[in-house]
């Protein structure tokens, strides 16, 4: 739920930590509680995109890091 409107309203992530997210982009994986979340799944993806950390960061977090962890080749 991190970065969604739902969690940002209750406990906003400090904007000054966005650089740290960028620096750790190769160590972060998307984890989802879908379908047990109080908003559409696409909102979670849009919330990550709104961070403005770039397409490379999103690709790592949404796909490549998980693929590397489980030793699978990501689809292109």
């Amino acid at each position: 739920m991190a970065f969604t409107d739902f969690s940002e309203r209750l406990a906003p992530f400090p904007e000054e930590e966005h650089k740290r997210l960028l620096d750790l982009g190769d160590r972060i994986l998307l984890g989802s509680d879908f379908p047990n979340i109080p908003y559409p799944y696409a909102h979670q993806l849009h919330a990550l995109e709104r961070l403005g950390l770039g397409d490379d960061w999103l690709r790592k977090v949404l796909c490549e890091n998980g693929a590397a962890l489980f030793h699978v080749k990501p689809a292109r």
Side-chain angles (χ1 to χ4, degrees):
M1 288 191 200
F3 313 114
T4 65
D5 298 340
F6 182 81
S7 65
E8 288 295 301
R9 199 170 37 248
L10 300 172
F13 189 83
E15 193 161 329
E16 62 271 10
E17 294 294 330
H18 284 196
K19 166 92 169 70
R20 189 169 173 209
L21 287 174
L22 186 60
D23 292 343
L24 295 172
D26 61 341
R27 302 185 72 188
I28 299 171
L29 302 175
L30 172 67
S32 177
D33 289 329
F34 183 81
N36 300 314
I37 52 179
Y39 46 80
Y41 178 71
H43 178 73
Q44 182 175 22
L45 302 179
H46 292 300
L48 292 172
E49 185 179 33
R50 278 193 320 226
L51 292 172
L53 299 176
D55 290 344
D56 289 336
W57 185 87
L58 277 173
R59 193 174 302 106
K60 288 178 188 176
V61 170
L62 298 178
C63 178
E64 293 174 359
N65 295 343
L69 178 66
F70 293 106
H71 306 288
V72 297
K73 187 173 182 174
R76 292 277 174 180

